[in-house]
Amino acid sequence: MLAYAFLAPSLLLFGVFMFYPLLRSVYLSLYSTDPAGRVASFVGPENFTGLFTSGLFLDGIRVTALFALLTVPAGMLIALVLAALTHNLLRGQRLFQFAFSLPMVLSVGSAAVIWKFLFHPSLGMLNYGLELAGFAPVPWLTSPKWALLSVSLMTVWMNLGFNYIVISSGMQGIPDDMYESAKIDGAGPVAMFRKITIPLLSPTLFFVLVVSIISAFQSFGQINILTQGGPMDSTNVFVYSIYREAFVNFRFGTGSAQALLLFLVIMLLTLIQFKWVERKVHYQ
């Protein structure tokens, strides 16, 4: 009984904020709702089939997958390079670690507002810098060609702090005697990084990869503030589409069906990563 008493607060929180919303989404996905959001009638799997026939599911997944491709590899690569450059610094290491980790202290809303000013077509610092360098200004958030790339740029910067801290901590755990042995054998910095650092860091990189992909598929705050899914749905990622269906159009049935499909997509991607990518991970 004592064990259940200790578990009770956690079970209560999981029940209220996780299991009940999940079961409620399953229930709503089988019903249509009226313009006020009230349950109207049972429609069975019609909400799911409607997502595929209307193209809403495929369009959302396409934009979300492109967003993940733009943010995950770039975010991991930049964090890996910065962690490698600062790993062996004798002076100023703490200062660089503080600077690169700084985006973590900002909320998504605050960071998005800052970048919205930077992306401003006439007053933003980015276009001001481009004009000083002799380039034409860029319609960062108003052009369908640039909008997703602009949101991805802000997302890479926002995730840099977490990726850098995790990868840098992984590097700290690699024993120094392995580098000393490699130096005695005549290995250079590039060879040591490729033959020692990357293999021993692979569990950390795999963790960052899984977390980053899940985070990319759940991104919402920066898109809501910067573009609201536009222009021309070029940044209408899956989570923003769920928000628009459920809380703007009050079609809770379609929104719940989208949420369940997104859950299945993320679970499938995670299982694929553990099935195929984890084989490349080197555990000591």
Side-chain angles (χ1 to χ4, degrees), residues 46-64 232-233 236-238 241 244-245 254 258 261:
E46 189 176 310
N47 286 328
F48 293 94
T49 56
L51 290 175
F52 288 97
T53 55
S54 67
L56 197 61
F57 173 76
L58 294 178
D59 288 343
I61 285 296
R62 180 184 59 80
V63 176
T64 309
M232 297 176 63
D233 287 340
N236 190 23
V237 296
F238 213 76
S241 178
R244 197 155 60 179
E245 280 293 299
T254 311
Q258 283 183 281
L261 288 176

Side-chain angles (χ1 to χ4, degrees), residues 74-89:
M76 290 184 62
L77 182 62
I78 294 172
L80 177 64
V81 170
L82 292 177
L85 291 175
T86 57
H87 179 58
N88 292 320
L89 281 181

Side-chain angles (χ1 to χ4, degrees), residues 217-276:
F217 272 76
Q218 294 179 331
S219 295
F220 170 76
Q222 64 270 43
I223 291 164
N224 184 38
I225 294 174
L226 291 177
T227 62
Q228 297 183 333
M232 297 176 63
D233 287 340
S234 60
T235 60
N236 190 23
V237 296
F238 213 76
V239 174
Y240 190 79
S241 178
I242 294 172
Y243 163 76
R244 197 155 60 179
E245 280 293 299
F247 301 105
V248 177
N249 300 325
F250 294 103
R251 290 196 283 261
F252 289 103
T254 311
S256 298
Q258 283 183 281
L260 292 176
L261 288 176
L262 177 62
F263 169 74
L264 293 177
V265 168
I266 291 176
M267 186 172 67
L268 181 63
L269 284 174
T270 306
L271 289 175
I272 290 173
Q273 290 173 84
F274 274 92
K275 179 71 176 176
W276 302 104

Side-chain angles (χ1 to χ4, degrees), residues 29 57 74 98 117 124-125 156 171 222 260:
S29 68
F57 173 76
F98 170 76
F117 282 111
M125 291 298 294
V156 168
M171 284 185 177
Q222 64 270 43
L260 292 176

Side-chain angles (χ1 to χ4, degrees), residues 23-35:
L23 295 175
R24 183 69 176 170
S25 295
V26 173
Y27 169 76
L28 288 174
S29 68
L30 302 175
Y31 286 84
S32 65
T33 53
D34 61 20

Side-chain angles (χ1 to χ4, degrees), residues 48-190:
F48 293 94
T49 56
L51 290 175
F52 288 97
T53 55
S54 67
L56 197 61
F57 173 76
L58 294 178
D59 288 343
I61 285 296
R62 180 184 59 80
V63 176
T64 309
L66 184 57
F67 177 70
L69 283 175
L70 289 172
T71 55
V72 175
M76 290 184 62
L77 182 62
I78 294 172
L80 177 64
V81 170
L82 292 177
L85 291 175
T86 57
H87 179 58
N88 292 320
L89 281 181
L90 298 178
R91 300 179 62 182
Q93 186 184 42
R94 296 290 181 190
L95 178 63
F96 284 109
Q97 289 176 342
F98 170 76
F100 296 146
S101 308
L102 202 56
M104 278 192 68
V105 304
L106 289 176
S107 66
V108 176
S110 303
V113 170
I114 293 170
W115 278 86
K116 193 167 187 176
F117 282 111
L118 293 176
F119 286 135
H120 194 279
S122 55
L123 303 176
M125 291 298 294
L126 295 179
N127 276 348
Y128 179 72
L130 287 175
E131 289 179 358
L132 286 181
F135 295 99
V138 173
W140 297 102
L141 300 176
T142 55
S143 166
K145 188 174 71 175
W146 284 95
L148 188 63
L149 187 64
S150 304
V151 176
S152 301
L153 178 65
M154 177 258 167
T155 305
V156 168
W157 174 83
M158 192 178 63
N159 295 336
L160 181 62
F162 174 79
N163 292 349
Y164 172 78
I165 286 179
V166 174
I167 294 175
S168 182
S169 300
M171 284 185 177
Q172 303 279 346
I174 299 175
D176 291 334
D177 54 356
M178 301 193 72
Y179 293 110
E180 296 297 331
S181 301
K183 282 182 183 176
I184 293 172
D185 291 337
V190 176

